[in-house]
Amino acid sequence: MTTESLPVAADAPAGTIAAGKPSAGRPGRLKVRGRAGRQHHAGPLAYVLLGITALLSIFPLYWTMVAASTDNTRVSETPPPFLPGPNLFSNLARAWDEAAMGQAMINSLIVAGVIAMSTVMFATLAGFAFAKLRFKGRNILLMLVIGTMMVPPQLGVVPLFMMMAELGWSQRLPAVIFPTLVSAVGVFFMRQYLSEALPDELVEAGRVDGAHSLRIFWSIVLPIARPAMAVLFMITFVHAWNDFFWPFVALDMTNPTVPVALTQLSAGYIRDQSLIMAGALLGTLPLLAMFIVFGRQIVSGVMAGAVKG
């Protein structure tokens, strides 16, 4: 039966066709109401669950601010305070001076920025090669890259420290930057994204036009991979900013990153919890500022990439 043999009911609204169920007014004629373009609205339960999730996510940051704005005695009381106190700015100033946060902020910005940018570029290059280029040993190399994710990083600390000492980078920022210029997680992430988002036809069209692999990467791959690159940059920057273990081993207190500098606030016999929380708040503020400035672009880029893919 062709579509012309299906009569449309005269009283049927737009988007309905005669199929499936007889209409009451005209026996033998069938109507199915189309649902294309129909908007779905969240119910009250969805808003309640989202509100609870938002509150639970914001509460640790709020508690850090509350603890940083009181004194050590008040923080240790039961029940603890749930409203900010009057000592926030004085505690922030003390933490800034005692932990040398100025130098630590600059060091963390350099380390996290260089690591994030290099990881995004190298991971995108490797992801493009593993996703769209054909060469011998590609699958074996990909398995080796994924296999490095299973090795605990603590196993390589001693030989890595010896290597940095041989290069003369001990207690210097290159000792923290160079071992983490690229990550297996980033390579795998970009490979998976480009496998779906980058059509083979675009790569073949570039080959037909005479473009080499680097030209294809620059002109075709980078614009398509921009949403995933933004997400990878954000994740890598936050991870590098918050990394403590290797910077604590490779650096000293004269040239620390932010997590290493915060250890100076808990060095006394009696720990001042309000001072520690003030230092933690100082270390978190740059990340919050970066997300406020670039968060909308990152989220919109992810959504655009999801729609195009």
Side-chain angles (χ1 to χ4, degrees):
M1 179 181 293
T2 62
T3 56
E4 289 79 8
S5 62
L6 292 176
V8 179
D11 58 344
T16 64
I17 62 172
K21 183 178 180 181
S23 64
R26 299 184 180 180
R29 298 204 175 188
L30 309 177
K31 293 192 302 182
V32 173
R33 298 187 181 275
R35 297 184 178 180
R38 183 178 180 180
Q39 295 183 354
H40 298 275
H41 299 280
L45 181 60
Y47 286 105
V48 171
L49 293 177
L50 289 175
I52 294 174
T53 303
L55 289 176
L56 292 177
S57 302
I58 296 174
F59 180 76
L61 180 62
Y62 175 75
W63 167 248
T64 301
M65 184 187 68
V66 171
S69 63
T70 60
D71 54 30
N72 196 37
T73 304
R74 185 73 179 93
V75 173
S76 304
E77 292 180 355
T78 304
F82 288 99
L83 294 176
N87 302 328
L88 177 61
F89 293 103
S90 61
N91 287 340
L92 290 177
R94 287 179 54 204
W96 183 276
D97 294 334
E98 294 188 16
M101 291 295 291
Q103 182 64 36
M105 289 278 189
I106 295 174
N107 290 343
S108 287
L109 184 61
I110 295 173
V111 170
V114 173
I115 291 175
M117 288 187 292
S118 65
T119 298
V120 168
M121 185 56 62
F122 289 138
T124 306
L125 275 168
F128 167 59
F130 284 127
K132 297 301 176 180
L133 301 184
R134 301 293 182 264
F135 54 91
K136 291 183 179 180
R138 184 185 66 166
N139 294 332
I140 296 176
L141 288 176
L142 181 60
M143 290 298 103
L144 289 176
V145 171
I146 297 175
T148 60
M149 298 166 55
M150 312 301 172
V151 181
Q154 290 80 4
L155 295 180
V157 168
V158 174
L160 186 59
F161 183 81
M162 295 173 63
M163 185 184 301
M164 295 299 106
E166 288 292 331
L167 293 173
W169 290 346
S170 180
Q171 314 302 333
R172 296 172 58 190
L173 294 184
V176 180
I177 295 174
F178 276 86
T180 51
L181 284 178
V182 67
S183 66
V185 177
V187 173
F188 182 73
F189 173 75
M190 294 304 303
R191 186 262 179 189
Q192 294 300 105
Y193 181 85
L194 291 175
S195 296
E196 299 295 332
L198 178 62
D200 294 335
E201 291 77 8
L202 287 180
V203 179
E204 294 300 327
R207 297 290 188 194
V208 171
D209 290 340
H212 51 77
S213 297
L214 289 180
R215 179 64 179 178
I216 293 174
F217 174 79
W218 183 261
S219 301
I220 299 176
V221 177
L222 286 183
I224 293 177
R226 193 173 300 160
M229 293 170 66
V231 174
L232 182 60
F233 181 90
M234 187 74 175
I235 295 174
T236 306
F237 187 93
V238 172
H239 181 269
W241 183 279
N242 293 328
D243 189 20
F244 171 76
F245 180 70
W246 175 242
F248 183 76
V249 175
L251 303 177
D252 56 14
M253 292 302 176
T254 62
N255 194 33
T257 57
V258 169
V260 177
L262 292 179
T263 59
Q264 300 183 42
L265 301 179
S266 58
Y269 180 75
I270 299 178
R271 296 181 178 179
D272 191 338
Q273 298 294 334
S274 62
L275 190 62
I276 295 174
M277 290 298 180
L281 185 61
L282 283 174
T284 306
L285 289 178
L287 298 180
L288 293 177
M290 187 180 70
F291 185 79
I292 291 173
V293 173
F294 300 107
R296 179 173 297 180
Q297 288 80 359
I298 292 173
V299 173
S300 63
V302 172
M303 296 304 296
V307 172
K308 292 179 182 178

